[in-house]
Amino acid sequence: MLENRMLEFKTILAKPEQARELQALVNHGYGQETTRLPGSRRYPKIEEVITLIQSTNWMIVQDPEHDNKIIGSLMIDNDDENLNKINAFAVDSSYRGKGLAQVLLQSAEQFLVEKSVNEVFLEVISVANRPLDDCQIFTKKKETICCEENSLANYYQRLGFVFTDNVIFTPHAWQAEFRKTEYVTRVFFREMRKELGLI
């Protein structure tokens, strides 16, 4: 158990040799989300983590008093549409409630502002109150959607993020891997956006 002490958090870029530790941190964090498929993992292959460390800006925070253990993670990725997105956002459960998540987000925003980027995106996982087999039904009747877990979205909203109109439905890979059709057809992602004030 982590003693109640104030830590001075500093973000640095991850290195390929830290891939396995990062993989464990992020997968554990994603497994804690109540809207995730039971036992799901964000990064099942260590090779994928190494590639992402080398091709993105993957920020980490370490605790020097505990053998430089990685206690926080946040990746800034540039997607196919040239949008800067936050991914792999995770904090070690022993360090939650100490402001680490906000430090990671502020560091990411500062990094983007210095690159003259004026907006950043992320996605939150939600669960509908009924299957989402028909995308047309979802877009026309949004009132039928009910999120079972709003705390993460509320947290981002307090930090200045707002919902866009983009909804990303559950990847087919999940459906194939877990074969929980009734559940998986209710899981979707809602995109959020924050406008950054340029220096």
Side-chain angles (χ1 to χ4, degrees):
M1 184 98 178
L2 182 70
E3 63 267 28
N4 189 15
R5 60 189 172 91
M6 292 301 293
L7 296 170
E8 203 170 301
F9 301 123
K10 179 182 177 183
T11 58
I12 60 172
L13 291 177
K15 298 176 182 177
E17 56 266 30
Q18 297 169 311
R20 196 163 297 282
E21 188 179 358
L22 260 177
Q23 180 191 47
L25 173 67
V26 174
N27 283 341
H28 179 74
Y30 273 64
Q32 297 296 311
E33 295 180 15
T34 59
T35 55
R36 273 264 161 185
L37 293 176
S40 66
R41 295 176 298 167
R42 179 66 180 86
Y43 298 113
K45 295 181 180 179
I46 194 68
E47 296 81 11
E48 180 186 4
V49 179
I50 293 172
T51 299
L52 286 168
I53 290 172
Q54 294 171 331
S55 62
T56 68
N57 294 288
W58 197 328
M59 300 178 173
I60 61 170
V61 174
Q62 298 172 287
D63 185 350
E65 294 185 21
H66 286 83
D67 298 320
N68 284 323
K69 171 185 176 181
I70 298 176
I71 59 175
S73 159
L74 185 151
M75 181 209 307
I76 304 172
D77 192 15
N78 196 267
D79 71 7
D80 296 336
E81 298 179 2
N82 203 31
L83 299 178
N84 288 280
K85 287 195 169 182
I86 290 173
N87 285 303
F89 190 19
V91 172
D92 185 298
S93 57
S94 299
Y95 294 80
R96 289 176 187 164
K98 297 181 177 294
L100 176 53
Q102 200 160 350
V103 167
L104 281 161
L105 280 170
Q106 288 172 348
S107 293
E109 291 175 18
Q110 183 63 30
F111 173 85
L112 290 170
V113 166
E114 289 173 1
K115 300 282 186 184
S116 297
V117 174
N118 60 10
E119 60 184 359
V120 64
F121 297 82
L122 54 78
E123 293 162 5
V124 291
I125 301 171
S126 297
V127 177
N129 59 5
R130 63 176 184 76
L132 297 173
D133 296 318
D134 189 340
C135 296
Q136 295 298 321
I137 291 176
F138 175 80
T139 55
K140 290 179 181 177
K141 298 181 179 179
K142 291 188 179 181
E143 68 273 9
T144 63
I145 301 304
C146 174
C147 297
E148 294 175 353
E149 175 56 66
N150 289 320
S151 60
L152 191 56
N154 291 340
Y155 172 75
Y156 289 132
Q157 284 177 317
R158 289 194 297 273
L159 295 176
F161 285 85
V162 296
F163 283 111
T164 71
D165 290 332
N166 291 336
V167 175
I168 301 94
F169 288 87
T170 310
H172 292 296
W174 278 11
Q175 298 187 33
E177 182 180 354
F178 294 96
R179 304 189 186 287
K180 296 180 181 293
T181 308
E182 290 183 8
Y183 185 87
V184 83
T185 56
R186 296 191 291 123
V187 178
F188 62 103
F189 297 84
R190 299 182 70 192
E191 184 181 71
M192 300 187 80
R193 171 187 177 274
K194 182 175 182 179
E195 188 171 336
L196 305 176
L198 296 180
I199 297 174

